[in-house]
Amino acid sequence: RIAQGGIDVVALDHYMPNQDGLETLAIIRKLAEPPPVIYVTAMQEGRVAVAALKAGAADYVAKDVHGEFVVLLQRAIDIAFDTVMLRRAKEAAEAESERNWHLTQCIIDTIPDPLVVLEHDMTIVTASKAFLTIFEITQAEAHGRRISELGQHQWDVPALRHLMEKVLPENKPIENFEIEDNFPGLGRRIFNLNARKMSQPGNRAHRMLLVFEDITHRKQRERDAQVLTNEISHRIKNNLQIVVGLISVEAKSTAAPCV
């Protein structure tokens, strides 16, 4: 019957027909999801009670002749039942958290920009496929490491570290922090960094989402446009000076009347 499920707590006497309680306890403990067992012994059988606890019993209650046995047994059953309920709630919460985290990882992997999720100590919880691909690192190599330790320590910038330390405790996001450096396999690159605090309802643990946007080409276009603008401005100034000079010469040559 116990193997069929639906039993929350078992009160097991040491003396049973055909076999003792310890043998029955061993059978119960081999079940896929065994219920907690309250072992019942006689007053003088402390040795048996210890053996039952070592074999996996949740608690034991000694029989007495003063009428306290039933009260003690009920208390032990209540405690065992509450423990089971807490364990089941914990397992359900962990399963829900695992499902949510799996969904989060799937969403992270669909984002084209490289990004990582960091713990409060700045160690990496997970990295997106884009991050792993661009920086040529595996998930196992990234997990548990500080972002400042990656590569050739290009991210180990005091100003960035100062800002990151305020994201979680003060809920201060990082907006458009630029880092320009040489990256192995990538060459000279410019990355725009943004960070946000991640919160999950019912979970006090907070994490940081750090996104890396490669703005190298955009910055190069902006620089090229600025160089072109400066060149055009310089040429216009030169041409204007020539025009002013010609006008000045022409004005001088026509200033005096002919006699």
Side-chain angles (χ1 to χ4, degrees):
R1 173 65 183 90
I2 296 175
Q4 297 175 1
I7 303 297
D8 294 317
V9 182
V10 174
L12 181 62
D13 199 309
H14 177 63
Y15 294 102
M16 302 179 63
N18 302 323
Q19 63 184 21
D20 63 27
L22 291 175
E23 293 173 328
T24 305
L25 176 60
I27 296 173
I28 294 174
R29 295 298 298 167
K30 290 180 180 179
L31 298 176
E33 295 184 6
V37 175
I38 308 300
Y39 207 80
V40 180
T41 67
M43 289 292 291
Q44 68 274 19
E45 294 177 330
R47 174 182 55 81
V48 174
V50 172
L53 291 175
K54 290 182 176 180
D59 200 351
Y60 77 92
V61 177
K63 298 177 183 177
D64 69 350
V65 294
H66 303 294
E68 297 181 357
F69 165 68
V70 175
V71 175
L72 294 174
L73 179 60
Q74 183 61 55
R75 184 181 302 169
I77 290 174
D78 290 343
I79 293 173
F81 180 77
D82 290 343
T83 301
V84 170
M85 293 298 102
L86 287 173
R87 177 177 57 80
R88 289 176 181 174
K90 179 176 179 292
E91 291 173 350
E94 289 175 348
E96 180 66 19
S97 178
E98 183 66 24
R99 287 192 294 270
N100 291 338
W101 184 244
H102 178 70
L103 176 60
T104 300
Q105 183 66 55
C106 291
I107 295 173
I108 287 174
D109 286 338
T110 62
I111 298 174
D113 288 327
L115 59 87
V116 294
V117 178
L118 306 177
E119 289 282 15
H120 65 280
D121 59 357
M122 306 303 163
T123 56
I124 298 174
V125 179
T126 188
S128 68
K129 287 183 178 180
F131 183 91
L132 301 175
T133 301
I134 290 177
F135 297 109
E136 298 180 343
I137 188 172
T138 66
Q139 193 74 258
E141 292 170 338
H143 182 76
R145 295 179 64 186
R146 293 177 181 272
I147 192 69
S148 59
E149 298 172 349
L150 298 183
Q152 298 176 346
H153 303 277
Q154 289 90 345
W155 314 114
D156 190 13
V157 178
L160 174 61
R161 186 167 58 250
H162 177 72
L163 292 174
M164 291 175 65
E165 289 172 350
K166 294 185 176 182
V167 173
L168 294 183
E170 300 180 25
N171 197 20
K172 288 187 176 181
I174 297 176
E175 302 279 1
N176 302 321
F177 186 93
E178 293 184 10
I179 290 182
E180 181 174 358
D181 209 330
N182 292 311
F183 294 86
L186 297 175
R188 194 75 178 176
R189 291 296 178 96
I190 306 172
F191 285 95
N192 186 46
L193 275 60
N194 292 273
R196 293 289 187 280
K197 181 178 180 178
M198 295 176 62
S199 301
Q200 182 178 341
N203 191 342
R204 295 183 179 180
H206 301 297
R207 289 169 172 167
M208 184 193 312
L209 181 66
L210 181 61
V211 182
F212 304 75
E213 180 189 4
D214 189 346
I215 59 173
T216 306
H217 298 307
R218 190 184 79 194
K219 279 292 183 180
Q220 188 59 50
R221 289 194 300 269
E222 291 176 357
R223 291 172 181 176
D224 291 344
Q226 186 61 47
V227 170
L228 180 59
T229 300
N230 293 340
E231 180 64 23
I232 292 174
S233 176
H234 178 69
R235 292 188 180 187
I236 290 174
K237 288 179 180 179
N238 287 342
N239 290 336
L240 286 175
Q241 289 176 354
I242 293 173
V243 171
V244 170
L246 291 174
I247 293 174
S248 178
V249 170
E250 182 66 22
K252 287 179 181 180
S253 64
T254 60
C258 296
V259 179

